[in-house]
């Protein structure tokens, strides 16, 4: 498998996760009152309109609308400047960028982010997981792999 083919595959996976997140958000919007649990009330499916940012921290919607495109732009620039051999960092940045774009789209269209996966005390979405996994991969690359 060539590096170019691998990059296309990585981008396709990240894009698929973006569309999966948007599809699941659409599904929960169809029936926001419907909840389902694997382990009530800790693991399940429920609608939550998240007006905060990471971990529900309250931040001005205007601030988020202004700053998010700048952050995404910096991440895209970083992705563009990374050496071809640094595949893990490229995957991580693609996950973060697509996760941020998905949540940003919600904020622009609805004024909040739609979360739907109950995980213990919080409600998250696939985009949140993409961002968290991406940051974890960057941390691993920076601190563990280089050690």
């Amino acid at each position: 498998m060539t590096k170019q083919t691998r990059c296309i595959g990585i981008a396709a996976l990240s894009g698929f996760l973006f569309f999966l997140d948007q599809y699941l958000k659409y599904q929960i919007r169809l029936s926001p009152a419907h909840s389902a649990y694997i382990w009530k009330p800790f693991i399940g499916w429920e609608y939550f309109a998240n007006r905060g940012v990471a971990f529900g921290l309250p931040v001005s919607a205007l601030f988020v609308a202004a700053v998010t495109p700048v952050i995404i732009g910096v991440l895209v620039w970083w992705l563009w400047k990374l050496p071809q051999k640094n595949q893990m960092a490229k995957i991580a940045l693609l996950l973060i960028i697509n996760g941020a774009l998905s949540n940003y789209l919600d904020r622009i269209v609805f004024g909040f982010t739609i979360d739907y996966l109950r995980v213990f005390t919080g409600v998250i979405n696939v985009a949140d997981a993409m961002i968290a996994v991406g940051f974890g991969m960057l941390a691993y690359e920076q601190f563990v792999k280089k050690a």
Side-chain angles (χ1 to χ4, degrees):
M1 181 181 303
T2 68
K3 287 183 182 181
Q4 185 176 6
T5 306
R6 194 171 22 227
C7 287
I8 291 170
I10 292 165
L13 174 63
S14 182
F16 168 77
L17 292 172
F18 170 89
F19 285 109
L20 175 64
D21 183 57
Q22 286 298 307
Y23 173 77
L24 292 173
K25 288 173 179 178
Y26 171 76
Q27 289 299 317
I28 195 72
R29 278 193 331 265
L30 288 177
S31 57
H34 176 74
S35 297
Y37 297 93
I38 295 169
W39 180 26
K40 194 170 186 174
F42 303 111
I43 307 290
W45 170 266
E46 74 182 58
Y47 178 85
F48 180 69
N50 185 354
R51 298 190 187 281
V53 290
F55 309 107
L57 296 172
V59 176
S60 159
L62 184 60
F63 177 79
V64 173
V67 171
T68 303
V70 173
I71 293 171
I72 291 171
V74 168
L75 293 172
V76 168
W77 175 82
W78 184 12
L79 177 65
W80 186 260
K81 291 294 185 182
L82 272 174
Q84 185 65 29
K85 64 181 175 136
N86 200 340
Q87 292 295 310
M88 183 177 286
K90 286 183 179 264
I91 294 168
L93 287 171
L94 278 169
L95 288 171
I96 294 167
I97 290 165
N98 275 318
L101 283 172
S102 185
N103 282 341
Y104 186 64
L105 180 62
D106 284 4
R107 289 190 187 284
I108 296 303
V109 173
F110 305 111
F112 53 85
T113 298
I114 298 169
D115 292 337
Y116 47 81
L117 296 172
R118 165 65 64 183
V119 182
F120 297 103
T121 61
V123 184
I124 63 170
N125 57 42
V126 170
D128 296 340
M130 290 168 63
I131 294 167
V133 168
F135 275 114
M137 290 171 70
L138 285 177
Y140 174 81
E141 178 80 12
Q142 185 64 39
F143 299 114
V144 176
K145 196 172 180 185
K146 290 186 178 183

